[in-house]
Amino acid sequence: MSEQNVVRLRLDGTVSLHFEAAGTPKLLKNLSGCTVWKGFLWTVSDEGRTIECLAPFSSGYNNLVRSVSLDALFDDLSSKDHSDEIDLEDIAASDGYLWVCDSHSRVRRSADGRPTVQIKNGKSRRLLGRLKLDRNGGTFARAERLPSDGDGGLRSILEANEFLAPFAGLPSKEGGIDLEGITVGDQRVFVGLRGLVIDGKAIVAELFFTEQFRVRSTILHFIDLQGLGIRDLEWSRGGLLLIAGPVGSARVPFHIFRWSVKSAVAPERVFSFEPSIEKPEAPLCRGGRRRADDNGPL
C-alpha cells in the first residue's frame, strides 16, 4: 500500500486510513468530517465532490469500499463540468441515514491575489442531504436533499432569521454565514456555525424536519464559547460536544466543550489544543460509538 494514500491520526494511538486510488493529495489534505455506521467509516473532503467509505482492519480502516460521486446522487449541484468544490464540511450517521452538509457560505476573491472563484449564490455551497443506507450499512437505498436555494433552502431559512439577516450578504470569513458541522441524535438535527459569532456567542441551529424532508422550524442556540465559532459538533450523552475555533485563520487555541442542550448551564471546556498548523476538523468515532470526548478529534 502506497504511503501517499494513507492518513495517520494520532492522539492516544494511531488510526490509519488507507484510501487506495481515491487518496489524492487534495483529498487527504482536506479531510473535513467522518462518521462510523455499522463498522464502516465514511469521510468527506471540503475540496472534493465525493464521499468515501472504508472498511475496518486491525488498528485502522484500510479497504476502500467505495468512492461515491455526489453529483450522481443529487441533481443540479453546480455547473455542468462539476469543476468547483462542494465545500463539504461534515458527515453524520444516525438511525440508518447518512447526513452530508456543506458550508452554505458566500466567498470573495483572495486579498493576496491568489486565484479563487467568486461565488455569490453558487449551488455548490448549498447542500444538506440525507442518504438512506441499506441493512449492511455500505450502500444507499435513497437520497434526498433540501432545495439549493429559494423557499425551503437552508441558506434562505437562515437568512430570514432576524439575528442572521443583517449579515446575509457578507463573505463567510468576514462575518457571514458559514456552516461547519452537522450531528444527529435523539431524532434531533443540529448544525453548527463557524461564523457568524453574535455578541461573542457561537450559534447552533436546531432543525426540525417534515416527513417530506423539508425544514418545518428552526431554533437558534447562542452558546458562550469564549468568542470562538464552531468547527464541528457531535451528539454525546444527550448533549453536544463542540469543537471551538476561530472564525478566521488566527493562531489561537482550539477547545472542546460539552454542552447540555436542555440545560441553561454554561458549556464545560473538556480539552484544549495549542495553536499549530493543523486544525481540528471532526470528532473521531470508533466502533460505531461516539467517543470524541475520550479519543479526541480527527
Side-chain angles (χ1 to χ4, degrees), residues 55-106:
F57 179 81
S58 185
S59 61
Y61 297 84
N62 79 337
N63 179 21
L64 180 70
V65 176
R66 59 195 310 213
S67 179
V68 183
S69 166
L70 291 175
D71 293 292
L73 295 173
F74 301 110
D75 295 332
D76 195 26
L77 280 185
S78 72
S79 57
K80 293 181 180 180
D81 62 2
H82 300 162
S83 59
D84 49 335
E85 65 191 47
I86 299 179
D87 204 21
L88 291 167
E89 294 294 351
D90 205 7
I91 186 168
S94 179
D95 298 326
Y97 287 93
L98 281 182
W99 296 71
V100 290
C101 184
D102 71 11
S103 66
H104 287 69
S105 65
R106 293 178 182 267

Side-chain angles (χ1 to χ4, degrees), residues 265-284:
V265 176
E268 173 192 8
R269 189 171 69 184
V270 296
F271 196 85
S272 296
F273 306 85
E274 290 305 313
S276 69
I277 296 175
E278 300 297 334
K279 297 179 175 63
E281 282 284 346
L284 176 61

Side-chain angles (χ1 to χ4, degrees), residues 114-132:
R114 289 178 299 170
T116 60
V117 178
Q118 189 172 15
I119 303 175
K120 292 187 177 180
N121 291 296
K123 294 180 180 180
S124 270
R125 293 171 183 256
R126 300 290 189 274
L127 174 63
L128 194 156
R130 187 174 71 172
L131 306 169
K132 176 65 175 177

Side-chain angles (χ1 to χ4, degrees), residues 217-250:
S217 60
T218 63
I219 297 175
L220 293 192
H221 302 277
F222 296 90
I223 309 168
D224 185 1
L225 301 181
Q226 303 175 8
L228 300 173
I230 295 171
R231 305 299 287 262
D232 210 336
L233 70 171
E234 182 77 11
W235 181 261
S236 174
R237 303 177 188 174
L240 294 177
L241 287 172
L242 307 169
I243 297 181
V247 173
S249 57

Side-chain angles (χ1 to χ4, degrees), residues 142-180:
R142 184 171 73 252
E144 50 195 342
R145 59 170 295 189
L146 293 183
S148 57
D149 53 12
D151 292 341
L154 182 55
R155 174 83 195 199
S156 299
I157 292 170
L158 295 177
E159 287 182 347
N161 181 274
E162 62 177 322
F163 290 100
L164 305 184
F167 308 92
L170 296 177
S172 59
K173 303 306 184 289
E174 278 73 49
I177 295 170
D178 189 5
L179 310 186
E180 191 109 354

Side-chain angles (χ1 to χ4, degrees), residues 10 16 18 22 54 85-86 91 98 107 127 150 159 181 196 199 256 262 270 274 295:
R10 285 188 175 88
S16 298
H18 298 258
L54 305 178
E85 65 191 47
I86 299 179
I91 186 168
L98 281 182
V107 300
L127 174 63
E159 287 182 347
L196 54 124
D199 194 23
I256 295 180
K262 297 180 180 179
V270 296
E274 290 305 313
N295 293 311

